[in-house]
Amino acid sequence: MEIKMNKDKLYIFDTTLRDGAQTQGVDFSLDDKLKIANSLDNLGVDYIEGGWPGANPTDTEFFQKKIKYKNSIITAFGMTKKSGRSADNDPGLSALLNSNTPAVCLVGKSWDFHVDVALGITEKENLENISESTKHFVKEKKEFMFDAEHFFDGYKNNKDYAISCIKAAFDNGARWIVLCDTNGGTLPNEVSEIVSDVTKHIPGKNLGIHAHNDTGNAVANSLAAVLAGVRQIQGTINGLGERCGNANLMSIIPTLHLKEKFSKSFTTNIKSENINKLTQCSRLLDEILNRKPNKHLPYVGAAAFSHKGGLHVSAVQKDPKTYEHIDPELVGNSRNIVVSDQAGKSNIVSRLKSIGINFKMDDPKIIKLLEEVKDREFIGYSYDGADASFELLARRIMGEIPRFILIKEYDVTVKKDNTGNIISTAKAQLEVDKKLILCEGEGNGPVHALDNAIRNNVDKLAKYSNYLKDLRLVDYKVRILNTGTEAVTRVSIESTDSKGKNWFTIGVSENIIEASFKALVDSLDYKLFKDNAPASI
């Protein structure tokens, strides 16, 4: 008879809305915070730290919404009471109570050095502040958590005092004691040793870990802490946070679910079927922040399951486990076969399959496409990060793409007027259904002017006007491939539309305008193709 082992429950605590907001350049609006909270609730995390009530208008307004979430407990954050006043008369604690959240998390000092220097109070006063703050919220029947700031540094400096700080909260009713590696300097072996010792004083079922990433070990430290006894893990989406960031929940959550060491011993309240929402959750944050996603993030990055070398691709096709530690679809990601000058026939075949092109294995066009890719990359093209341009090239060679807009000629001028302003103007003569169409535009640079020349005249493009109205250029990059007066330039353009799917195109020429125009035309063609626009007569 099979004996089923009981699994320990782990709890996930997300701090993106507070810790993430401390990142340089990040300023969440109320709408941003609500979108992120909704995504985390749909994922199924246990706690969402909404912010610090009273610290700023946005956080205060967020808590005033009083939204009931399906899976997550909204938690208010603050700090222990100030010395010289009672918990009942502390304005900070009052703001937390007024937020009416079922859970409250307070940060307090656990490093004797900080008590002396930062707070300027006695060690006894600090213990009283922790004890009285804990009693205050436990009395109000709140699920109380104590974030022991700089715990690991405090433990290494004065173990007895650090333990007394967390005991001051636990002994007075705190549900969770969270051990914080606030400056991110602790290593996994130290975390294991210290947490193991702490469990002799406080049960692991009441311990949490809050790791920063200053040595690149936040995820490793969090997992080490779990194996040593903690049962709550704090972190953020994509590891967002000040300095080097926080523990990345987009790596921690799938590891807990998909890696045998953890999945056999632990369980979470996140449903297995929700793990495939991780990539979507990760990219939603980047969209809200209006920044390019880090494609090299584990599990959820666009390059996490990318394969470039021909031998690698052949092996992956035979058995994906050769170079993939999990099935990418489990986390909502996908396999990407990169086409480059290192590519073999297997890369081309795999890529053709992935974009839905029908072919026979002995079709000579496959070799023709492979040679064309290598020839183009020899002169400066790089299809590694330009999937849309590769698909257009492949479909043209395989004979599976119609002609849309023909560019007959174009003219771009750049001048500086007497006020010092630099103005770029562009004229482009396009042909659609054998009719010539003149488009003109201005911009803050030649590429912007060319883009505007076409975009601002889409109504002239007859049957293509509706297809191009929502086209938007997201990014434009230039790379000089060699030096000298005849330098070759490579231009990469990232585009998007109202459907939210981004695509990348490329152009190469000795002339930067021509390189830009090639990339721009590919962007137009790809948009028309993917939206099933009719061919030009």
Side-chain angles (χ1 to χ4, degrees):
M1 187 176 77
E2 181 182 357
I3 300 176
K4 293 185 177 179
M5 297 179 61
N6 291 327
K7 297 182 179 182
D8 284 357
K9 176 67 71 67
L10 299 177
Y11 296 84
I12 306 298
F13 188 116
D14 183 273
T15 69
T16 304
L17 300 184
R18 183 188 63 81
D19 268 330
Q22 295 180 17
T23 308
Q24 184 176 359
V26 172
D27 184 18
F28 292 129
S29 68
L30 176 61
D31 186 56
D32 293 339
K33 291 174 77 86
L34 293 172
K35 286 179 181 178
I36 294 169
N38 184 64
S39 179
L40 290 166
D41 181 53
N42 288 334
L43 181 60
V45 304
D46 298 283
Y47 302 95
I48 300 173
E49 192 174 78
W52 193 323
N56 60 71
T58 302
D59 281 6
T60 301
E61 191 174 356
F62 175 82
F63 288 105
Q64 289 174 347
K65 288 289 183 181
K66 297 182 177 62
I67 297 173
K68 298 288 185 182
Y69 290 97
K70 297 176 296 183
N71 303 302
S72 304
I73 296 172
I74 294 295
T75 306
F77 181 85
M79 64 182 295
T80 53
K81 79 172 188 68
K82 294 183 180 298
S83 294
R85 62 180 60 179
S86 68
D88 289 329
N89 293 315
D90 187 286
L93 301 192
S94 297
L96 290 169
L97 273 181
N98 292 336
S99 69
N100 291 318
T101 59
V104 171
C105 182
L106 291 190
V107 64
K109 302 293 184 183
S110 59
W111 186 2
D112 58 346
F113 171 73
H114 270 210
V115 174
D116 297 337
V117 176
L119 296 182
I121 60 176
T122 66
E123 293 177 4
K124 181 180 178 181
E125 282 180 289
N126 184 53
L127 292 174
E128 289 175 352
N129 291 343
I130 297 171
S131 299
E132 294 305 311
S133 298
T134 304
K135 292 177 186 176
H136 183 68
F137 287 103
V138 171
K139 179 182 66 176
E140 296 292 334
K141 302 190 184 308
K142 301 292 184 182
E143 182 175 2
F144 182 75
M145 311 179 201
F146 176 64
D147 263 14
E149 188 179 33
H150 286 285
F151 177 79
F152 292 93
D153 293 301
Y155 180 97
K156 286 183 275 189
N157 191 61
N158 186 338
K159 170 184 170 180
D160 291 341
Y161 185 70
I163 295 292
S164 68
C165 288
I166 58 177
K167 287 281 287 178
F170 180 71
D171 291 346
N172 284 290
R175 166 67 179 91
W176 291 106
I177 302 298
V178 183
L179 310 179
C180 301
D181 183 29
T182 309
N183 63 22
T186 309
L187 298 177
N189 63 301
E190 296 175 298
V191 169
S192 296
E193 294 166 4
I194 293 172
V195 170
S196 295
D197 185 55
V198 171
T199 59
K200 298 173 184 176
H201 305 273
I202 295 174
K205 64 184 178 66
N206 298 104
L207 291 175
I209 181 71
H210 182 112
H212 283 252
N213 201 40
D214 297 70
T215 63
N217 282 291
V219 170
N221 282 343
S222 300
L223 297 175
V226 168
L227 294 177
V230 309
R231 294 298 177 259
Q232 184 198 99
I233 307 173
Q234 296 195 356
T236 63
I237 302 172
N238 298 341
L240 189 70
E242 64 180 333
R243 303 189 314 277
C244 303
N246 288 61
N248 184 0
L249 290 180
M250 301 298 99
S251 294
I252 291 172
I253 292 171
T255 297
L256 297 177
H257 277 257
L258 303 175
K259 296 302 180 179
E260 189 174 330
K261 176 72 174 178
F262 294 94
S263 63
K264 277 195 169 183
S265 302
F266 305 103
T267 183
T268 76
N269 286 324
I270 297 176
K271 297 177 181 177
S272 296
E273 59 266 29
N274 282 354
I275 299 300
N276 64 11
K277 296 179 181 178
L278 286 168
T279 299
Q280 178 185 4
C281 181
S282 167
R283 294 178 188 176
L284 172 67
L285 178 65
D286 289 317
E287 180 182 327
I288 287 172
L289 296 176
N290 194 29
R291 70 179 189 180
K292 193 170 184 176
N294 177 0
K295 65 180 181 179
H296 298 291
L297 282 179
Y299 290 103
V300 296
F305 303 96
S306 290
H307 307 282
K308 184 173 181 178
L311 290 175
H312 288 202
V313 174
S314 296
V316 167
Q317 289 174 332
K318 292 175 183 176
D319 184 359
K321 292 187 180 68
T322 307
Y323 287 101
E324 293 177 351
H325 64 109
I326 64 162
D327 180 349
E329 292 185 1
L330 291 174
V331 291
N333 209 339
S334 59
R335 182 176 299 123
N336 177 33
I337 303 301
V338 177
V339 176
S340 73
D341 62 353
Q342 295 182 29
K345 183 177 178 180
S346 56
N347 290 62
I348 297 294
V349 167
S350 179
R351 191 73 185 106
L352 292 178
K353 288 179 180 178
S354 71
I355 58 181
I357 295 180
N358 298 317
F359 61 92
K360 294 181 179 179
M361 288 299 294
D362 59 353
D363 190 336
K365 292 178 182 176
I366 296 177
I367 299 300
K368 181 180 178 181
L369 175 58
L370 177 58
E371 294 302 321
E372 182 69 18
V373 168
K374 291 188 175 184
D375 287 345
R376 284 175 172 242
E377 295 219 349
F378 180 76
I379 64 172
Y381 279 83
S382 175
Y383 291 106
D384 190 335
D387 287 348
S389 283
F390 169 75
E391 183 171 347
L392 291 173
L393 175 65
R395 291 187 181 278
R396 284 166 184 151
I397 289 178
M398 303 297 286
E400 291 193 9
I401 193 168
R403 192 187 77 176
F404 298 110
I405 300 172
L406 181 64
I407 312 297
K408 300 295 287 185
E409 59 182 58
Y410 66 88
D411 176 42
V412 178
T413 61
V414 180
K415 68 175 183 178
K416 183 176 182 179
D417 63 21
N418 55 16
T419 64
N421 293 321
I422 298 176
I423 302 172
S424 297
T425 59
K427 295 180 182 179
Q429 191 179 77
L430 314 180
E431 182 182 310
V432 176
D433 294 339
K434 298 180 182 179
K435 294 181 181 178
L436 296 179
I437 303 165
L438 180 64
C439 298
E440 299 180 75
E442 290 187 355
N444 54 20
V447 179
H448 189 217
L450 277 170
D451 179 42
N452 283 338
I454 297 172
R455 184 192 313 283
N456 295 341
N457 292 276
V458 291
D459 290 339
K460 295 181 180 180
L461 300 180
K463 62 186 180 185
Y464 296 136
S465 59
N466 288 332
Y467 294 96
L468 298 177
K469 280 183 177 177
D470 65 339
L471 175 65
R472 182 169 62 88
L473 300 189
V474 176
D475 199 9
Y476 169 82
K477 294 179 180 177
V478 177
R479 182 176 178 184
I480 306 301
L481 301 180
N482 56 1
T483 58
T485 56
E486 297 181 357
V488 174
T489 302
R490 182 165 68 212
V491 169
S492 300
I493 290 179
E494 180 182 357
S495 307
T496 191
D497 59 16
S498 57
K499 298 180 181 67
K501 175 78 173 177
N502 291 21
W503 62 94
F504 299 83
T505 54
I506 191 172
V508 172
S509 173
E510 294 177 357
N511 184 292
I512 187 172
I513 305 300
E514 174 69 7
S516 303
F517 202 59
K518 287 178 178 179
L520 180 60
V521 170
D522 264 10
S523 177
L524 296 172
D525 279 348
Y526 187 76
K527 164 68 172 170
L528 294 171
F529 171 75
K530 77 183 187 74
D531 285 357
N532 297 311
S536 181
I537 298 172

